[in-house]
Amino acid sequence: MNVLIVGGGGREHALAWKLLQSSNVEQVFCVPGNGGTALLPNCQNLPATEEDFASIANYAQEKAVSFVVVGPELPLTQGIRDALQRDNIPVFGPTQTATQIEASKWWAKSLMQEVGISTANGETFTDAAPAKAYISQQGTPIVVKADGLAAGKGVTVAETVEDAHHAIDALFAANTPQVVVEQCLTGQEVSVIAVTDGIAVRPLLPAQDYKRIGEGDTGGNTGGMGAYAPAPLMSSQLLKQVTDTILQPTINALRERGIDYQGVLYAGLMITPEGEPKVLEFNCRFGDPETQVILPLLETPLEEVITACLDKRLESLPPLQWLQKKALCVVATSAGYPGSYEKGKAIAGINQVKDALVFHAGTRLDAEQNLLTSGGRVLGATGLGDDFDQAADQAYSAIAQIHFSGCYYRSDIGYHVRYQS
Ligand code: AMP
Ligand code: GLY
């Protein structure tokens, strides 16, 4: 079969690489893809933007793809599933209505509060004055969030009432229509990414990502500077609890509301000091760079998992098989990211990497087939090992072999699980 992937980041390179390992998958097409997917055997980039649903539908038909996998949230929230479904093209991903679980934090929180899913208590506001009054009454620390998609930039964890009020003013000044103010949770964060056919739900291995630009989790938020899996914090017992008390009830509640949620349900969780999992956010897509550590550990062919979801027979799919190893991914960025950065820097050394997987993100090939930087997050190296130290050594050795002007990466990815012995 042929498959089309929408997106052009490290997550999509990992999806293409994983799908092509399956003997049933002959050819993968990426719209728009990146330098890594351009170089991947049996993979071809096709020129169009992620939001150009008409071109994507044409390509899907022309290339006779069996299904389309959508990486980023934007095309999903803009209704790519609904649009392609009108042409009978199967899409692994939720409908536009269902993507509100990520696109509106208040929609998601209301659903959780109605069903009794554990999450931070909160309120929503469309005006600054009542929001500020609520903050003064609740006290700090407190969390202020933009209701809509904000690429990780819409959240302030405020230590003082003044900071929280300032965050409210800043959001309304930026014409944010609605904000959510919620209780500040403490504990350790972990991501549980699950696949669902709208009836059953199967968690993949739990992962932890590193969102901040600076070492020791300091500085601005990014798309993700690294990740590791499986997160030991999430024991199999806790994962079962998350499945039974968070993931499955969410899918059931959506179904009861007539929403066919098929695709990926990603729960960003806080494990409180008491060991209780609480939902920080839901996403309607695979995580990036979590995908780059989860998929290399998945032994079950990904295309079998996806087709089970598309055919609504996930319940009867045999248990997912996992490699008994650890994976750790280190992301290299352009200087200046997550602020402004330069593009077009030559990338050298990738071919020297032997022991790690290199997933491209912001890279492109020029007319002479030179590999150049073209984004903030340029690439990630995933190492696999019997323990996290070994996985980290592989990832960091790979990153050290790769060169481009202004290359930056965090040297402490996985510090929660490294140096333990
Ligand atoms: P979100 O986009 O909602 O996941 O928020 C981004 C980041 O803000 C999370 O990964 C957490 O580090 C932090 N955060 C969000 N909500 C809370 C909360 N209620 N309590 C503490 N930290 C939070
Ligand atoms: N790594 C965080 C995300 O994909 O949302």
Side-chain angles (χ1 to χ4, degrees), residues 105 120 143 145 152 155 157 182-186 189 211 221 268 270 280-281:
K105 290 189 189 285
V143 180
K145 301 182 176 186
V155 177
V157 179
E182 68 181 38
Q183 175 194 13
C184 185
L185 301 174
T186 54
E189 285 182 49
K211 291 194 175 73
N221 258 325
M270 186 74 94
L280 290 172
E281 63 161 350

Side-chain angles (χ1 to χ4, degrees), residues 277-360:
K278 285 181 175 266
V279 177
L280 290 172
E281 63 161 350
F282 281 122
N283 293 318
C284 63
R285 51 171 176 83
F286 286 106
D288 187 340
E290 289 95 324
T291 304
Q292 293 91 303
V293 288
I294 294 171
L295 293 186
L297 296 173
L298 179 65
E299 287 191 303
T300 307
L302 180 59
E303 132 276 339
E304 284 181 18
V305 181
I306 292 177
T307 49
C309 291
L310 293 171
D311 299 345
K312 294 215 174 292
R313 50 174 176 77
L314 186 61
E315 186 72 62
S316 58
L317 187 76
L320 299 180
Q321 298 297 312
W322 298 99
L323 214 56
Q324 296 304 307
K325 285 194 180 284
K326 317 291 181 195
L328 185 141
C329 173
V330 177
V331 172
T333 70
S334 301
Y337 174 82
S340 61
Y341 53 83
E342 289 179 19
K343 299 180 187 175
K345 310 288 184 195
I347 305 171
I350 294 185
N351 290 339
Q352 270 75 62
V353 175
K354 293 280 174 283
D355 294 330
L357 298 160
V358 178
F359 294 119
H360 295 225

Side-chain angles (χ1 to χ4, degrees), residues 4-8 12 29-32 49-50 56 68-72 75 80:
L4 191 149
I5 297 174
V6 176
E12 289 76 24
F29 300 93
C30 291
V31 178
T49 64
E50 296 160 3
I56 293 170
V68 173
V69 184
V70 186
I80 190 168

Side-chain angles (χ1 to χ4, degrees), residues 11 73 102 191 193 209-211 222-227 266 281 283 285-291 377:
R11 165 182 52 205
E73 62 274 20
E102 172 165 359
S191 307
I193 297 173
D209 76 332
Y210 290 82
K211 291 194 175 73
T222 70
M225 297 299 294
Y266 165 148
E281 63 161 350
N283 293 318
R285 51 171 176 83
F286 286 106
D288 187 340
E290 289 95 324
T291 304
R377 288 194 291 174

